[in-house]
Amino acid sequence: MNAMIEKMITRHAIRRFEDRPLDEETLSEILTAGLYAPSAGNNQNSRIVVSTDKEVNRRLGELSRYMQFKGGDPKKMSHSISAEQPSIQDDHTLMDGFYGAPVVLTVFTRPGQYCHDDAAMIAENIWLAAHFLDVGACYIGRTEEVFATEYGLEKRKEWSVPDELVPVCNILLGYRKGDAPHQKPRKEGRIIRV
């Protein structure tokens, strides 16, 4: 099998991170991959905010967890995601929806028809680059809700993110703690040839 394709099919969501910073050169390479993601009309209007501040990441992660359940009982709203890399839906004692990741990226893009497409392309490039460089990564949604809170708005202003951009997603980065999750089988019948 082609080495690149093999890396792509062995990529996993990582939610257990070592408590150590990412090597700056590695982080720079990962971010460069994100900048080279396709964008609608080659607009390149997106911004990637890089936070390595543990307290900021923890607070945003707690808001993200809250937005997932919106004050409801997590036990009544959850379904199994992963026993090997538990999510906030698997382990209700996890209060940080960013899982203590040492690096939290927030992707802001221009609003409009291709907003989520542009962010998804950036996130996928970042995630694959991270995996190629032996760095764990995880995509997190709920970002727009998190940055609509008082704390989220405060951080956005502090980070000088242009007002016209919308927060679309977070990507967590860090060195994986423990073994890689096992390969999950793919469902049959997902390709339709016509």
Side-chain angles (χ1 to χ4, degrees), residues 34-58:
L35 293 177
Y36 277 85
S39 61
N42 193 32
N43 68 66
Q44 298 184 44
N45 288 329
S46 301
R47 300 292 185 274
I48 305 167
V49 175
V50 181
S51 175
T52 56
D53 185 311
K54 286 183 181 186
E55 179 59 19
V56 169
N57 294 347
R58 183 192 62 76

Side-chain angles (χ1 to χ4, degrees), residues 40 46 108-120 144 166-168:
S46 301
F108 292 85
T109 65
R110 68 178 183 165
Q113 182 178 5
Y114 301 110
C115 174
H116 289 86
D117 303 299
D118 286 354
E144 193 163 356
V166 295
V168 177

Side-chain angles (χ1 to χ4, degrees), residues 15-177:
R15 296 182 200 89
R16 290 183 180 165
F17 300 98
E18 291 184 4
D19 186 20
R20 66 180 171 119
L22 274 185
D23 171 84
E24 189 56 44
E25 185 177 327
T26 301
L27 178 57
S28 181
E29 285 187 66
I30 292 168
L31 293 169
T32 298
L35 293 177
Y36 277 85
S39 61
N42 193 32
N43 68 66
Q44 298 184 44
N45 288 329
S46 301
R47 300 292 185 274
I48 305 167
V49 175
V50 181
S51 175
T52 56
D53 185 311
K54 286 183 181 186
E55 179 59 19
V56 169
N57 294 347
R58 183 192 62 76
R59 287 192 64 191
L60 291 172
E62 287 174 352
L63 286 169
S64 180
R65 181 193 186 277
Y66 176 81
M67 294 305 171
Q68 176 69 18
F69 303 115
K70 297 201 177 47
D73 183 355
K75 293 177 184 167
K76 293 180 181 177
M77 305 171 75
S78 63
H79 63 278
S80 179
I81 304 289
S82 172
E84 297 170 300
Q85 293 281 320
S87 76
I88 56 175
Q89 297 206 149
D90 298 308
D91 182 350
H92 304 130
T93 66
L94 293 172
M95 296 294 125
D96 178 0
F98 291 165
Y99 309 100
V103 178
V104 174
L105 308 179
T106 306
V107 178
F108 292 85
T109 65
R110 68 178 183 165
Q113 182 178 5
Y114 301 110
C115 174
H116 289 86
D117 303 299
D118 286 354
M121 295 288 189
I122 290 169
E124 183 73 3
N125 268 25
I126 286 171
W127 202 344
L128 289 172
H131 183 55
F132 273 74
L133 296 171
D134 293 321
V135 172
C138 188
Y139 179 98
I140 304 289
R142 306 179 293 274
T143 308
E144 193 163 356
E145 294 173 283
V146 169
F147 281 89
T149 66
E150 185 178 334
Y151 186 72
L153 290 168
E154 174 189 315
K155 289 292 116 188
R156 179 190 173 113
K157 185 175 181 179
E158 182 182 309
W159 297 340
S160 301
V161 176
D163 291 339
E164 69 272 10
L165 298 183
V166 295
V168 177
C169 66
N170 293 103
I171 304 113
L172 314 180
L173 296 173
Y175 295 111
R176 182 185 70 236
K177 184 188 285 186

